[in-house]
Amino acid sequence: MRNIENYASEVQQELKERLDYDELMNCMRCGFCLPSCPTYTQTNKNEAASPRGRIALMKGVVDGVIEPDEDFEEQLNLCLGCRACEPVCPSGVKYGHLLEEARDVLEQKKKHKWPVKVMRHLVFEEFFPKKDRIRRLNNLLWLYQKSGVQKVVQKSKVLNVLPGNLANMESILPEIPAPKEMKNRPEHLDPFNVEAPKKRVAFFAGCLMDTMFMPTNDATVKLLQLAGCEVFIPPAQGCCGALHAHSGEKNGAKELAKQNIRAFEELDVDYIISNAGGCGAFLIDYDHLLKDDPEWYERAKAFVLKTKDISEVLVELDFHEKPLAVQPQVVTYQDSCHLRNVMRTSSAPRKLLKSIEGVTFKEMKDPDQCCGSAGVYNIVQQDMSMQILDSKMEKAKATQAQTIVTANPGCLLQMKLGIKREKMESNAKAVHIVDLLLEAYEGAASGEDNIREVAVTDS
Amino acid sequence: MLTSEVKKLLVQIVGQENYKDSNEMRLVYSYDATPTFQSLPDAVISPRNKEEIQKILQLCNEQQIPIVPRGSGTNLCAGTCPTQGGIVLLFTHMDKILEIDEENLTATVQPGVITLDLINAVEERGLFYPPDPSSMKISTIGGNINENSGGLRGLKYGVTRDYVLGLEAVLPNGNIIRTGGKLAKDVAGYDLTRLFVGSEGTLGVVTEVLLKLVPMPETKSTMLVLYEDIDAAARSVSKIISNRIIPTTLEFLDKPTLEVVEDFAKIGLPTHANAVLLIEQDGPPEIVSRDMEKIAMVCREEQALSVEMAATEEEADALRTARRSALSALARMKPTTILEDATVPRSKISEMVRAINEIAAKYDLNICTFGHAGDGNLHPTCLTDARNEEEMERVEHAFAEIFDKAIALGGTITGEHGVGEMKSPYLEWKLGKEGVEAMKAIKQAFDPNNIMNPGKMFAKDSRKRVLV
Ligand SMILES: Cc1cc2nc3c(=O)[nH]c(=O)nc-3n(C[C@H](O)[C@H](O)[C@H](O)COP(=O)(O)OP(=O)(O)OC[C@H]3O[C@@H](n4cnc5c(N)ncnc54)[C@H](O)[C@@H]3O)c2cc1C
Ligand code: SF4
Ligand code: SF4
């Protein structure tokens, strides 16, 4: 039996060593972040579930006022990590960094029960760092969907025995690309329609994005080419490491960061492009992640300076001034928390959407509030996640949008789940912004062809 | 510690889900926005209605258990820090706007309503609730009333007190009283409404509030005036008012404050100026433009570097939001931010600004100043580190001297943040022994067992005043 007291004092000691005390003190407890925190508002204003409360709890443990008990841990787990508390904090408290460090300490110290441990080992050490394995799983999923097994399984309702959301999640998975489509991409692509490339960019493909959401990645590369970019896709890149860091596997995250920095730094590019808010936000945090390693810190800083979301670069290259058109529809945009709160990208996607002919853009109430997806949150913190999702869908519904646009795979799946829960499948869909943009570009192009044809026959 | 018997009774009153005494919950209700104060309560309770509050108060009165009513805990005087333990009372279930009466221009609300939610709700109907403390997006009406909070619009529209027509409160003995009403006039007995406003939770628990609303002003105009010379900015404030113009807003920010605010808000504030005034006027268009012209003239006469009008409402709003973030933004500079709230007659504002700067230099401290200059209410804010004991001592001396100066100029130790536990040792400086005695007698009459927010307002020992 593990000595509980011993465990508590070890955790306390470790937190004391690793949490940045100046950052804890930097919170002056003004409470300005409270109204932006989804878990605070969803718990009828429970201070413990607020950013100010969580910072106080961490400080309380470090100061030895309270012990790191189960409540403490649960409260940190209940946090979405959406970081909506950061841009609104006038004092500039880096809550995300505090949370990540605290979670890492707890994970390291926790003796996982064996099934969890084995599972974690598989996921974090065997699965995500290794692209071929992700593909293999992907292939299995593909087989599952295509072989008819999925239909049988769904009908039989055996999935209802899966814990909570997994069953739901299964039904909203995108159509998985066939193994033969999972070709290795070219490493280098030239821009379309321009003589000299306007920018040299490298594309960060991501792990989920490059498998389950492969068409979206294809669309991203195409948009970059259309916008006049020469695109590099270094094959040595890997997963961004966000999932590791947010689940207390910081060392694994560091290794992945180094792998990525190495893969990108040799290419002399203007930007490193991400199309998933969750990944991008972690990429631009590499300097913080590697801050204790002077050599890597400098290399990370150079990497961070180049990292940008696709929407920012498209706006910079005036993509929104190209002809873009879709069938008339009301569109609303659900911010990806990490894209907005960490990468601070929120106006570029809106500008792009508003520039599409046929789009009536309608902002929902609180588009900046998390949808409850938050990495694996919707699986491990089901109740809170669904509570947040339901309130999100109410606001989305109020816009009467036929299209809910997002900029991150997790959010996209969550929106699809929301649409399903609300039984709105017949009149609403969720899409990634790059897919809609490509559709709009191609739509306008074919529309123009039509017009040209009409003109030709007229004369 | 509460006995298990008391705990059982409390759970019976509010239900298990509304009674919390885990270490986690006790810790997160152990502080407010006041630096260096922290103390754990024994329990945290969220009553659902006034009847439950009545029972809780009766029980606590019998058992002599301290009660600390708490809104959002944003006060700056250690007003909700449970320094003597006991029960923290929350109003999270009592957060409804009960009525907006468009005929009598009143709103009836529960104490847990967030200030900004009320402001937005009445503005949707073309009405106006002026008190707008910088913390309004999270502060509660119950907190505003108990601190008598001011805001950016205070110069023209007054403070919370000027908008409270009546209230309902539960007294420590369990009696429920209702004061005031939807009346323009009412002289039936003592004005208990006013007594409860600013009472900092020391007399009873406010359970319902009747607020006055006014019509929404037709237009509003905003300008930013830059100065090389801080003194000139302060002189402009006095001069604008002596020219018989009462702007809605007349805020002052010095250079270091401007720099941190810009760092946060990134709206292109002029960080080269040594001081700025944020000035707003509202009302009928012709009057607004006439006043703004006159104000601009006064400022130019005082050697303003420039006078810029906000071009759009978005721009004006960005300026106001930036100003509201001043205190928290200053907190990014140093681990501890200690702010004061000295207030002087408007005509003395430039003298006070000068005195603050001299005192900062004398004690070798980094003090930034911003505030509601038009109200004579400044927030000298000391950037320091609570871990540095020697410096903390100098901070204390410096603030004592600032209080002293304010009182000498005919001012007060606190304009809007309240006395709480933090400034209680200085209360006598402002009121004199007799003044404090009179107030203690009132407290004794309402709360003979001293269960309501004990330790606040009245200190065990008054601080000795060292006259300089
Ligand atoms: C960044 C910042 C800016 C600020 N700006 C301003 C400003 O511009 N102007 C200003 O005046 N203040 C300002 N304040 C101070 C503070 O926000 C106000 O005092 C506000 O009114 C407090 O509201 P609250 O809901 O947080 O109350 P709390 O801090 O929770 O409580 C304040 C007091 O009210 C009592 N109380 C609360 N509810 C009840 C009730 N129902 N019955 C009895 N007693 C009750 C408490 O016991 C306590 O004494 C600022 C604070 C911060 C942190
Ligand atoms: S806004 Fe920042 S300083 Fe204020 S309570 Fe939240 S984290 Fe702390
Ligand atoms: S990260 Fe999100 S959920 Fe967590 S404290 Fe901040 S705002 Fe709340």
Side-chain angles (χ1 to χ4, degrees), chain A residues 26-33 51-52 55 88-91 93:
Chain A
N26 191 15
C27 170
M28 61 84 67
R29 298 178 171 169
C30 64
F32 277 31
C33 52
R52 179 173 68 172
I55 294 168
V88 293
C89 170
S91 188
V93 175

Side-chain angles (χ1 to χ4, degrees), chain A residues 74-266:
Chain A
E74 265 169 33
Q75 205 46 261
L76 293 191
N77 286 341
L78 190 70
C79 169
L80 293 151
C82 68
R83 296 168 78 168
C85 42
E86 287 188 36
V88 293
C89 170
S91 188
V93 175
K94 299 200 175 56
Y95 172 83
H97 292 165
L98 289 169
L99 176 75
E100 203 172 284
E101 206 67 36
R103 279 186 175 168
D104 196 51
V105 169
L106 290 174
E107 278 313 322
Q108 300 297 317
K109 287 280 164 219
K110 202 158 63 188
K111 301 245 160 52
H112 287 299
K113 291 203 183 90
W114 75 264
V116 181
K117 219 164 139 186
V118 170
M119 185 67 185
R120 289 186 73 93
H121 172 78
L122 284 176
V123 171
F124 289 110
E125 277 153 55
E126 296 297 328
F127 182 62
F128 271 103
K130 299 174 184 154
K131 221 166 191 169
D132 53 328
R133 304 225 171 143
I134 301 182
R135 290 203 179 159
R136 213 171 303 149
L137 174 80
N138 215 73
N139 295 349
L140 280 176
L141 278 172
W142 177 79
L143 199 66
Y144 170 70
Q145 289 183 341
K146 296 293 149 188
S147 62
V149 175
Q150 184 177 36
K151 284 217 175 74
V152 176
V153 169
Q154 281 177 346
K155 253 202 188 128
S156 74
K157 304 219 159 64
V158 296
L159 283 173
N160 294 353
V161 306
L162 280 181
N165 265 347
L166 281 177
N168 264 330
M169 291 309 280
E170 185 272 352
S171 65
I172 49 143
L173 283 181
E175 204 170 305
I176 303 295
K180 66 172 185 312
E181 289 172 49
M182 304 274 303
K183 63 205 171 205
N184 285 317
R185 286 171 197 289
E187 288 172 39
H188 173 239
L189 296 124
D190 281 321
F192 293 141
N193 314 328
V194 282
E195 276 158 28
K198 291 193 201 156
K199 293 274 176 217
R200 282 165 61 91
V201 304
F203 177 50
F204 179 83
C207 43
L208 273 187
M209 284 307 294
D210 214 29
T211 47
M212 245 179 232
F213 295 91
M214 204 172 72
T216 302
N217 265 6
D218 291 341
T220 306
V221 172
K222 206 158 173 193
L223 287 178
L224 287 168
Q225 290 173 285
L226 288 168
C229 296
E230 183 180 4
V231 187
F232 295 85
I233 311 171
Q237 60 177 305
C239 162
C240 68
L243 210 51
H244 291 71
H246 299 155
S247 317
E249 304 284 341
K250 214 163 174 183
N251 283 332
K254 284 183 186 167
E255 285 316 307
L256 287 166
K258 289 178 186 170
Q259 180 188 338
N260 285 325
I261 293 169
R262 228 181 272 122
F264 282 89
E265 67 191 347
E266 272 163 27

Side-chain angles (χ1 to χ4, degrees), chain B residues 225-229 272-275 299 302-307:
Chain B
V225 189
L226 279 54
Y227 292 88
E228 174 76 43
D229 178 9
H272 61 277
N274 282 324
C299 296
E302 286 293 343
Q303 272 80 51
L305 290 175
S306 72
V307 176

Side-chain angles (χ1 to χ4, degrees), chain A residues 28-32 52 90, chain B residues 31-34 53 67-81 89-91 94 110-115 132-136 138-152 159-160 168-170 196 198-209 251 323-329 339 341 370 372 377 379 415-418 420 452-453 456:
Chain A
M28 61 84 67
R29 298 178 171 169
C30 64
F32 277 31
R52 179 173 68 172
Chain B
Y31 54 79
D32 49 38
T34 322
I53 294 179
I67 291 191
V68 184
R70 182 188 183 278
S72 293
T74 67
N75 73 86
L76 296 159
C77 60
T80 51
C81 180
L89 206 64
L90 302 178
F91 301 95
M94 298 172 68
Q110 293 184 314
V113 169
I114 302 292
T115 315
D132 61 341
S134 298
S135 52
M136 66 182 179
I138 184 63
S139 74
T140 63
I141 294 293
N144 294 169
I145 287 189
N146 276 277
E147 299 293 5
N148 189 10
S149 299
L152 297 194
V159 295
T160 304
E168 178 190 79
V170 183
F196 266 81
S199 66
E200 303 188 9
T202 61
L203 298 179
V205 177
V206 174
T207 47
E208 202 180 291
V209 192
E251 296 286 315
R323 157 61 189 91
R324 289 191 181 109
S325 70
L327 169 59
S328 321
L339 126 154
D341 184 28
F370 63 94
H372 316 294
N377 182 359
H379 295 319
E416 59 177 16
H417 293 164
M452 290 306 307
N453 216 355
K456 312 299 154 65

